[in-house]
Amino acid sequence: MESLEARWRRLRGSRFDRTESPHSQGGGVRLWEESLPLFTWHGDLPLEAWRTAPREAVATLAGHPDWLDIPPQGVLFLDTETTGLVGGAGTLIFLIGFARMEGEALVFRQLFLADPAAEPAFWQAFLALTHGVQGLVTFNGRGFDLPLIEMRLAIHRLRWPGLDVPHWDLLPTARRLWRRRLPSRALTALEEAVLGLERSPNDVPGYEIPSRYWSYLQTRSLNSLEGVFAHNRQDVLSMVILAARLAHLFETPEMDPAVQGWDWVQLGRWYQDSGRWEAAERAFRRALEEGGEDRELRRAAWHALGTLLRRMGRLEEAAQIWREWAMEVPDEVLPAARLARYYERTRRDPFEARRWAQIALERIELQANPERWWSLRESLARRIARLGNALWAE
């Protein structure tokens, strides 16, 4: 079997290796390149899923309308490995993994800084190999990878156009969608919970990667870094599938088994914020269906659905949701207060309005900390007095 050293030497970007040291064994910059057919599966999806990802969903999730005009082939997926987990002027990027679609394949490349003295050539190679990028996808790139890339390039008086293109950082998206259901939104956790992947027991944890590079610099043996290269490759390919999964999921969540429970509430809020109110309603109703015994989930779904229906002007349906909520959870204050307002202002029914206001006031007194509700309590007291006067006037 061909050794790891031989594979890197054969595929290295020799035209960029203008800075070498006697210890770099053939080049201070190494290139690994791999072409993966789009029918290749990574977890539960083939790589082809990114090419068919709905662009409107991508634009919404990424928060940038220009994604509508970026073809799948124009997107670069990127991840770095560094000599420190915090960053700073002394932190080197010694490995960059990046991938984009070329024809009927996803081409994955890794640039490796085999000798720190070759860093200028390393960045020249990176700029050449990523020419023409139109969109960028990372996982926590906004907070870590991109500021560090910009800083290292600035040291060498270089600028990468990729820093100015639309950027989709998948970490904030994952946090917003899965923060209530999944205990961790780290990429490895998402692989297992969402992508149908499980890391090898030999996977190198992130905190070990810097020390492995320093060890390599002492021995100049690539074998100590084999796990790091595999870790980086897995990260990049998982980002491709995660981006595709998120876009397809956002467009047709009913067809994705990864959407469960709290995810429907989070999706509904996202749809509502982006003006897709019908989709938001479907998501909130699905949350109620799947809520089961999860009182907190059902409470969030009732609250969100009732508020949405009221904003849509469907007040009768909103009142029905509030009644269901108030009857099923007998200590909830908010639905009773909203029914009091509804019966007073919409139905012009002082009897029902006063009854629900009294129910809401009684429920406040049963709360663990009724003083927290002082503003609503004062409002309800005024409503009861006002409605009482109206009844006497009749």
Side-chain angles (χ1 to χ4, degrees):
M1 175 179 284
E2 190 178 34
S3 70
L4 180 65
E5 172 69 36
R7 295 203 303 269
W8 276 89
R9 184 167 55 248
R10 178 167 57 86
L11 294 175
R12 73 180 188 273
S14 57
R15 64 188 182 278
F16 305 111
D17 295 341
R18 300 190 179 96
T19 306
E20 298 186 8
S21 81
H23 305 289
S24 62
Q25 299 184 18
V29 179
R30 308 289 186 88
L31 172 65
W32 163 260
E33 188 172 82
E34 181 181 5
S35 183
L36 299 165
L38 294 184
F39 57 75
T40 304
W41 285 68
H42 187 72
D44 290 342
L45 289 176
L47 299 174
E48 169 73 16
W50 172 244
R51 184 161 64 178
T52 60
R55 310 322 290 172
E56 288 188 6
V58 172
T60 301
L61 292 168
H64 202 304
D66 285 356
W67 278 97
L68 289 168
D69 303 318
I70 300 174
Q73 297 80 1
V75 180
L76 187 77
F77 296 83
L78 177 144
D79 185 52
T80 65
E81 308 302 337
T82 75
T83 58
L85 298 178
V86 178
T91 302
L92 280 177
I93 294 174
F94 69 86
L95 181 68
I96 305 181
F98 49 97
R100 63 176 162 183
M101 290 186 172
E102 297 180 14
E104 294 300 311
L106 181 82
V107 179
F108 170 71
R109 296 180 174 94
Q110 283 177 321
L111 268 177
F112 171 54
L113 184 60
D115 191 315
E119 191 183 14
F122 176 83
W123 288 113
Q124 290 286 357
F126 175 71
L127 295 180
L129 291 167
T130 59
H131 178 73
V133 60
Q134 297 172 260
L136 186 64
V137 178
T138 67
F139 194 90
N140 196 30
R142 195 177 306 279
F144 184 76
D145 303 84
L146 298 192
L148 194 52
I149 288 174
E150 185 172 22
M151 181 186 66
R152 298 311 303 180
L153 285 169
I155 290 173
H156 302 290
R157 298 185 178 181
L158 296 171
R159 178 71 185 176
W160 181 41
L163 294 171
D164 301 318
V165 302
H167 172 214
W168 182 11
D169 189 334
L170 298 174
L171 178 57
T173 305
R175 283 174 173 165
R176 181 171 181 180
L177 179 57
W178 287 302
R179 65 184 176 187
R180 291 304 302 262
R181 182 167 68 86
L182 300 181
S184 171
R185 275 74 59 192
L187 186 56
T188 52
L190 294 176
E191 286 175 343
E192 185 174 345
V194 179
L195 303 182
L197 284 164
E198 187 173 346
R199 294 259 173 159
S200 163
N202 298 323
D203 182 64
V204 179
Y207 65 85
E208 277 189 20
I209 290 175
S211 63
R212 293 215 179 192
Y213 183 64
W214 294 121
S215 176
Y216 155 79
L217 291 178
Q218 299 296 318
T219 65
R220 299 294 172 162
S221 170
L222 287 178
N223 292 332
S224 62
L225 290 174
E226 185 166 8
V228 177
F229 299 144
H231 175 97
N232 178 261
R233 179 184 184 274
Q234 174 92 338
D235 281 355
V236 174
L237 296 185
S238 292
M239 281 192 281
V240 176
I241 296 304
L242 179 59
R245 186 66 175 269
L246 283 165
H248 286 285
L249 176 159
F250 193 77
E251 192 67 22
T252 53
E254 298 86 358
M255 299 177 64
D256 196 317
V259 184
Q260 304 170 20
W262 273 103
D263 304 345
W264 289 107
V265 174
Q266 300 300 103
L267 271 175
R269 290 169 177 165
W270 213 326
Y271 291 141
Q272 184 172 330
D273 291 345
S274 57
R276 299 176 57 178
W277 286 7
E278 292 183 1
E281 181 184 351
R282 291 195 299 271
F284 293 144
R285 291 191 184 279
R286 185 66 175 267
L288 279 175
E289 291 173 10
E290 294 190 9
E293 300 300 317
D294 190 336
R295 173 173 166 174
E296 191 63 25
L297 170 57
R298 289 178 64 80
R299 180 186 183 279
W302 276 316
H303 189 301
L305 181 56
T307 301
L308 175 66
L309 292 170
R310 184 179 64 182
R311 289 183 63 185
M312 296 171 72
R314 293 159 58 182
L315 298 179
E316 292 289 340
E317 293 172 80
Q320 182 179 347
I321 293 297
W322 295 329
R323 273 193 296 272
E324 180 183 328
W325 180 8
M327 298 299 290
E328 188 166 326
V329 188
D331 60 346
E332 284 282 7
V333 175
L334 190 57
R338 290 196 169 175
L339 283 167
R341 179 188 177 96
Y342 165 75
Y343 278 108
E344 180 185 10
R345 297 192 176 185
T346 303
R347 294 290 295 272
R348 307 292 182 183
D349 185 337
F351 291 97
E352 279 296 290
R354 192 168 192 271
R355 183 173 77 87
W356 280 109
Q358 289 174 329
I359 290 173
L361 201 57
E362 291 168 3
R363 291 183 176 187
I364 287 176
E365 298 305 322
L366 295 175
Q367 300 301 306
N369 183 15
E371 292 304 317
R372 184 170 66 89
W373 298 85
W374 69 268
S375 180
L376 180 58
R377 182 165 56 184
E378 293 299 314
S379 175
L380 288 167
R382 288 194 299 271
R383 174 167 278 133
I384 289 171
R386 182 171 64 250
L387 292 168
N389 293 334
L391 289 171
W392 280 108
E394 293 180 2

